[in-house]
Amino acid sequence: MAKKSSTHFVCQNCGTTYSRWAGKCEACGQWNTLVEEALPSKESPTATGGLGGKQINFTSLRGAPEILFRLKSTIHELDRVCGGGLVPGSVILVGGDPGIGKSTLLLQAVAHLSKGVNKTGSPVKCIYISGEESADQVRLRALRLGLADSAVQLASTTNVRDIVATLDNNETPDVVVIDSIQTMYIDTLDSAPGTVGQVRAAGHELIRLAKRKGFALFLVGHVTKEGTLAGPRVLEHMVDTVLYFEGDRGHHFRILRAVKNRFGATDEIGVFEMTEQGLSEVPNPSALFLAERRGHIAGSCVFAGIEGSRPILVEIQALVAPMGGTSPRRAVVGWDSGRLLMILAVLEARYGISFANKDIFLNIAGGLKISEPAADMAVATALISALTQKPAPADMVVFGEIGLSGETRGVPQSELRLKEAAKLGFERAMIPPTRSKKNKAVDLKIYEVGNLKTLIAHFTGEN
Ligand code: TYD
Ligand code: MG
């Protein structure tokens, strides 16, 4: 029998594996991206008792679900995004641009976590391993953050073999942070740290240890400019939770977004503000996002959105200017440019409102990224207001989807959106027609508009 190869070839672009080398990766179409890497060592089947393996016990679908114990960091924004705290044995990948604040967030998280107690009632033992900074640098940061006397154990290393041996042979910790997975390497592979093969092998070893020992593991991963976790992306399916830490370096607030969570809801967000003393929680994000709003300016409209389980009000700004170049520009920050083109097409084709020969700039104030179609009506309002130079009422919020024939469509959780608007002192809301009686109970004057014609009339007609 031919000897089984102990290596395989991995595409460094997409992570697909092949048993032989090829010039082109069939999966992603890239050339010269296959690199030979060692196969992860497996125990031979005979080691687990002949071919038989161990007996698996089956259970029925019925029965009371086990209530998961969760470690609380007392940073509520973080706990909520994790689904109510950290589940022991779970693995959380935290991705984000370099310099966005991942290390700061996790250092604060472990410092807070170590003040609590674990399932057995003893103090939570936290370990922070940095592969990017020396222990001195981390200590200096802790001092700056006022966390110097926390019980977190610190180490600076990049060798996964050492980390696994240490964590395996000592008292099991409750929480371990690896900052970052791209700096970690396994010495059985020749490829450099940060390559897909290294990230995957290092991630695999650490995740296996976390599951076996039952500690919560944070893996930090830097993302590339395009917004994808280039190397760490291959870990997404191996981990329980994927969090993205986003934000604009020009703004001081940051958003922690759950994009995958086996132990909680996805699309949940936590809002933080980067200050001199590190990240501080923002319990009322709407107030923050609207703080710099001038009100009564043409081209501005307040959108009542939902992020995860929470309503968030943001200002949508549009600027319509005479065309500067040879073709009209449509620049969008924080929203889907495809949806903007759709709304422009509906306005032009159905209502004769033309933006031809005009440059359009659309911005979600504060740097938040919105993906909800529910923002359609607010975007249309901002656009029409910018074009007609007539401000939208400053005390009005808008939400609702727009269909291709110009009709408006209901969106989920309208009551929650309206309540948030009322709480922040808004007095009016423009929304799609709704049958829900609950909306009427909110202390707002509600204008139900069935199509864009009625909305446009607010700017060109009476009002
Ligand atoms: P960092 O956590 O090192 O980012 P990452 O780990 O994602 O690469 O954050 C670095 C940035 O945060 C740096 O530009 C300085 C800023 N910062 C503050 O504004 N306040 C603080 O208290 C700290 C520790 C950092
Ligand atoms: Mg860092």
Side-chain angles (χ1 to χ4, degrees):
M1 205 173 84
K3 189 172 169 289
K4 208 163 171 280
S5 163
S6 62
T7 61
H8 61 172
F9 294 86
V10 182
C11 171
Q12 301 294 292
N13 183 52
C14 69
T16 309
T17 57
Y18 298 88
S19 55
R20 318 162 168 228
W21 190 84
K24 183 183 175 188
C25 172
E26 291 300 330
C28 66
Q30 294 288 312
W31 288 88
N32 293 328
T33 53
L34 297 200
V35 169
E36 185 178 24
E37 289 174 6
L39 279 165
S41 68
K42 284 193 200 119
E43 282 183 354
S44 81
T46 46
T48 54
L51 277 179
K54 268 190 255 161
Q55 191 70 35
I56 306 169
N57 295 323
F58 296 102
T59 60
S60 75
L61 285 173
R62 249 179 296 129
E66 186 195 352
I67 308 265
L68 290 169
F69 173 80
R70 290 173 190 265
L71 296 166
K72 299 261 202 281
S73 71
T74 68
I75 303 177
H76 299 293
E77 297 290 300
L78 175 68
D79 288 344
R80 204 189 49 252
V81 174
C82 294
L86 299 180
V87 177
S90 69
V91 182
I92 300 145
L93 177 66
V94 181
D97 282 319
I100 206 74
K102 300 181 294 298
S103 305
T104 310
L105 175 73
L106 290 176
L107 191 60
Q108 286 181 268
V110 283
H112 279 83
L113 278 160
S114 62
K115 285 189 215 142
V117 289
N118 63 16
K119 208 172 177 177
T120 60
S122 41
V124 174
K125 189 177 173 214
C126 298
I127 288 179
Y128 185 100
I129 297 173
S130 178
E132 303 198 331
E133 293 162 306
S134 67
D136 268 343
Q137 281 172 304
V138 181
R139 232 175 271 131
L140 214 66
R141 183 194 299 247
L143 196 67
R144 238 186 94 187
L145 298 170
L147 306 170
D149 48 2
S150 113
V152 177
Q153 295 287 301
L154 205 62
S156 173
T157 177
T158 54
N159 190 331
V160 174
R161 191 193 289 268
D162 294 349
I163 296 172
V164 171
T166 312
L167 295 180
D168 214 3
N169 296 331
N170 291 294
E171 189 198 340
T172 308
D174 295 295
V175 183
V176 175
V177 175
I178 301 287
D179 187 3
S180 67
I181 190 67
Q182 274 118 325
T183 56
M184 297 295 145
Y185 77 95
I186 285 191
D187 44 20
T188 46
L189 293 183
D190 286 336
S191 43
T195 55
V196 173
Q198 282 285 5
V199 167
R200 194 195 342 240
H204 185 248
E205 282 305 320
L206 292 164
I207 292 167
R208 223 163 52 157
L209 184 72
K211 298 281 171 200
R212 186 156 55 81
K213 303 287 267 186
F215 59 78
L217 174 66
F218 279 107
L219 298 174
V220 175
H222 294 294
V223 301
T224 56
K225 266 253 167 338
E226 297 78 45
T228 53
L229 285 165
R233 190 103 199 249
V234 297
L235 297 179
E236 278 190 9
H237 70 278
M238 291 199 233
V239 301
D240 300 300
T241 304
V242 180
L243 308 178
Y244 280 91
F245 205 33
E246 346 171 304
D248 197 84
R249 274 209 245 167
H251 293 99
H252 41 241
F253 75 86
R254 304 276 182 269
I255 299 203
L256 188 67
R257 192 185 293 274
V259 293
K260 163 182 174 176
N261 197 350
R262 287 189 186 141
F263 300 111
T266 49
D267 287 332
E268 196 64 73
I269 68 164
V271 184
F272 296 89
E273 196 173 354
M274 184 59 103
T275 67
E276 284 295 300
Q277 284 78 43
L279 291 153
S280 67
E281 295 181 72
V282 178
N284 187 353
S286 301
L288 175 79
F289 291 127
L290 295 180
E292 285 165 38
R293 191 169 71 103
R294 297 281 168 270
H296 229 70
I297 287 176
S300 152
C301 176
V302 177
F303 165 55
I306 298 274
E307 292 287 342
S309 60
R310 201 156 56 158
I312 289 192
L313 304 192
V314 281
E315 182 189 2
I316 294 181
Q317 301 172 327
L319 180 68
V320 176
M323 195 167 83
T326 48
S327 58
R329 290 188 63 192
R330 271 86 180 94
V332 186
V333 180
W335 206 50
D336 180 2
S337 52
R339 273 204 98 77
L340 170 67
L341 296 181
M342 187 202 85
I343 291 173
L344 293 175
V346 171
L347 284 171
E348 172 136 27
R350 306 280 174 194
Y351 305 101
I353 298 179
S354 172
F355 289 86
N357 303 326
K358 299 261 198 291
D359 284 344
I360 298 175
F361 302 89
L362 191 81
N363 178 38
I364 309 298
L368 189 73
K369 288 194 188 78
I370 300 179
S371 52
E372 272 192 296
D376 289 356
M377 273 173 65
V379 169
T381 306
L383 286 170
I384 298 163
S385 161
L387 189 71
T388 57
Q389 281 299 305
K390 212 171 158 195
D395 61 352
M396 184 165 83
V397 296
V398 180
F399 63 84
E401 193 180 332
I402 294 173
L404 285 181
S405 58
E407 85 281 12
T408 60
R409 293 186 181 170
V411 293
Q413 317 216 46
S414 52
E415 190 198 352
L416 208 60
R417 299 172 199 261
L418 293 171
K419 274 190 181 155
E420 176 80 355
K423 202 169 87 189
L424 277 133
F426 285 84
E427 286 171 7
R428 295 187 262 182
M430 185 143 60
I431 67 172
T434 153
R435 268 168 288 156
S436 160
K437 291 206 175 54
K438 286 186 187 158
N439 288 350
K440 310 274 185 307
V442 181
D443 187 19
L444 282 176
K445 181 153 177 41
I446 292 174
Y447 303 91
E448 291 187 356
V449 297
N451 53 48
L452 277 182
K453 193 171 169 197
T454 334
L455 193 152
I456 295 163
H458 276 267
F459 290 92
T460 51
E462 78 294 5
N463 196 36

